[in-house]
Structure formats: structure tokens, C-alpha cells
Amino acid sequence: MTYPKHPNRNHRLSLEGEIAAAIENLCRSRSMVLTLSHRSRLETTLYETLIFNRKLRYESSSGALLAKKAIDLLEIFTLRHRVYARLGYDREFPPIIEGLNFDDFDGHSAVLFTRYAETVTGTCRVIFDSDDKLPIDKNYSLDPLRREYGRLAELSRLVIDKPTKGLGKEFKHLTAGVYRIMVDNEADALVSVMSPEHYPLYRRFGGFEIKDSLPVYGTLRKPFVITAWDVSRISPFFRKIFLGSVAHQAAA
């Protein structure tokens, strides 16, 4: 297995060992047998994602955790698959390995998650723009938004294991974490694809706008909207409900 270069050889070897052990435990617990190509793809994704996440600036007091361990990422990939299969999104976002939802974009994403009672209960990722562009670009060119805003990032893989009515703690913590990642790492606007019925909530964040509407998105045959969030324009509502509630819980 050839990994991307890392400046600290001992750190690289330690991380390789951590990844190998996490994959072995996963295969043993699920009686899984991975092909060489699947194992190589998973190892590379885990390595690149962990290196990327460990280099990010992030205030953990925002409530959500930043994935910096291989075992956490494997739980996150499992949760993504389980929820997407339940929602019928696994056709548009098929798993590379059955039971695990990940892709090459994870390698330059901030992967956030919530954990309660030793279980990963929610997750999302903030994908930073790169030469490979962003996943939305596959179905809709984001170049006009790059010219309008500057440095983009994309929100994706937002899943919560057992959604509650209203604004549950996982959603609040993940949203506050996304905001913190954007601000701490100097991204200008967060783009996303969502169902139109979800937009009224996000509109209250401040700086959140619909940029276009699509009758379908990829293989998903229902309307979606393309949105952009200028995180420098958050509203009093966002500060109170998301940043304020997280600060209050952290102090409690």
C-alpha cells in the first residue's frame, strides 16, 4: 500500500498501523472480506481524510467533534450508508464497499460528527474546493458562485441516525461545527443542495440564499435548490439558537 507522503515518518507509520488495526477490527466484527482494491481504496481514504482533518483549525467547543481517528471514520461511513439506504439515496451516492459510504472527496473534507453513549449519532462533512472542484459541479456548475463569493466549500453527507422533531441537539451541534470550520479555515461561502421545503429554516441563518432551482438532481427525481451561505452575515437567530445554545451547554 502506497500512502501520500507525510513529513514525519514516525507519525505516518503510526497512522498506517492505526488504520490497519481499525480495518481488521471492522472486518472481524462483520465477517467482511475485502478485495485488495477495496482495501487499498479504503486505506487511502482514511489516511488522506485523517491527515486533512488533523491539519484544520477547529474549536471543539462548538459541540461537534472533528474526526481524527480511523475508528471514528469507519463508524461515520457506516452511519452514512445506513441512513442513505433508508432514505433511498444510495442510488445517487452508492457505497464503494457494501455498508460503508465514502468517496474521494472525503480526502479534503472536514468530517464532523456527534457521539452520545459511545455511539455516533450524526455526521456531516464540509468539502473544501480543490482542482477536482466540488460534488455539485457534476450536476451543476458552481463557477458563477466562485466568482461571486470567492473560496467555496460544500456541505454534504448530513445525516442523523434518529431525527427528532424541531432542532435536535445533533443538528444544532453539527450546524455550529460547520460554521466554526468555515470561519476558522477562511472559507467564504458554503454551497449545498436541499429540498425546497427545508429552505425556510436555513433562510433564518442570515446570508443564506437560493441561487437556482432544479427539477431533478442526478438520479433523484424530485425538485432541489442550490443554496449558498455567506457565513460572514449570520443572523441574531443563528447566534442565539446555534452558537448561544452550544456555548450554554458547554458551560453547564
Side-chain angles (χ1 to χ4, degrees):
M1 175 67 210
T2 301
Y3 289 101
K5 291 182 179 179
H6 190 278
N8 186 317
R9 182 175 182 274
N10 290 334
H11 187 182
R12 175 176 60 80
L13 292 175
S14 175
L15 183 53
E16 290 174 5
E18 177 192 337
I19 289 169
I23 293 175
E24 287 301 323
N25 287 337
L26 176 75
C27 291
R28 186 164 47 249
S29 65
R30 300 187 189 179
S31 300
M32 293 173 61
V33 177
L34 298 178
T35 65
L36 288 178
S37 62
H38 278 168
R39 186 183 183 98
S40 175
R41 184 80 176 271
L42 180 57
E43 287 175 338
T44 299
T45 299
L46 290 171
Y47 185 89
E48 292 180 347
T49 307
L50 291 172
I51 290 295
F52 190 88
N53 276 244
R54 291 178 184 186
K55 290 181 178 179
L56 290 171
R57 294 184 294 274
Y58 181 62
E59 293 184 11
S60 59
S61 60
S62 43
L65 303 170
L66 186 61
K68 296 183 179 181
K69 296 180 180 179
I71 189 172
D72 291 333
L73 278 177
L74 290 175
E75 286 189 65
I76 288 164
F77 296 164
T78 300
L79 176 61
R80 287 178 183 173
H81 172 78
R82 185 167 66 248
V83 174
Y84 271 26
R86 187 170 70 217
L87 296 174
Y89 288 177
D90 48 347
R91 182 180 175 187
E92 178 66 20
F93 310 105
I96 294 171
I97 298 171
E98 186 60 33
L100 299 174
N101 185 293
F102 65 93
D103 60 29
D104 293 340
F105 288 103
D106 283 306
H108 46 98
S109 298
V111 181
L112 297 166
F113 69 104
T114 53
R115 181 186 289 281
Y116 295 101
E118 303 304 315
T119 300
V120 173
T121 56
T123 183
C124 67
R125 68 180 181 183
V126 177
I127 309 171
F128 287 86
D129 210 357
S130 69
D131 291 341
D132 296 326
K133 296 196 170 184
L134 294 168
I136 290 175
D137 282 292
K138 176 183 176 182
N139 297 303
Y140 180 90
S141 175
L142 293 171
D143 287 344
L145 299 187
R146 291 182 175 94
R147 291 190 290 271
E148 179 180 353
Y149 290 101
R151 189 183 184 204
L152 298 182
E154 178 178 338
L155 177 67
S156 77
R157 300 302 195 269
L158 172 58
V159 296
I160 296 172
D161 193 17
K162 297 178 180 178
T164 58
K165 292 184 179 180
L167 301 177
K169 60 185 177 181
E170 284 87 0
F171 182 73
K172 286 182 179 179
H173 287 171
L174 290 171
T175 301
V178 168
Y179 169 78
R180 197 71 264 162
I181 282 288
M182 293 287 291
V183 171
D184 290 351
N185 296 278
E186 301 175 348
D188 298 307
L190 184 75
V191 295
S192 57
V193 179
M194 66 178 66
S195 298
E197 61 267 23
H198 295 157
Y199 177 70
L201 167 62
Y202 289 93
R203 182 175 60 84
R204 301 182 67 189
F205 287 11
F208 215 108
E209 301 177 357
I210 291 178
K211 310 307 290 189
D212 208 345
S213 300
L214 305 175
V216 297
Y217 185 78
T219 62
L220 302 175
R221 301 301 171 184
K222 64 176 187 176
F224 286 90
V225 292
I226 305 290
T227 66
W229 183 24
D230 179 349
V231 294
S232 69
R233 298 167 49 203
I234 59 171
S235 66
F237 167 83
F238 185 85
R239 290 185 183 278
K240 177 181 178 180
I241 299 301
F242 292 92
L243 305 185
S245 66
V246 169
H248 175 74
Q249 291 182 35

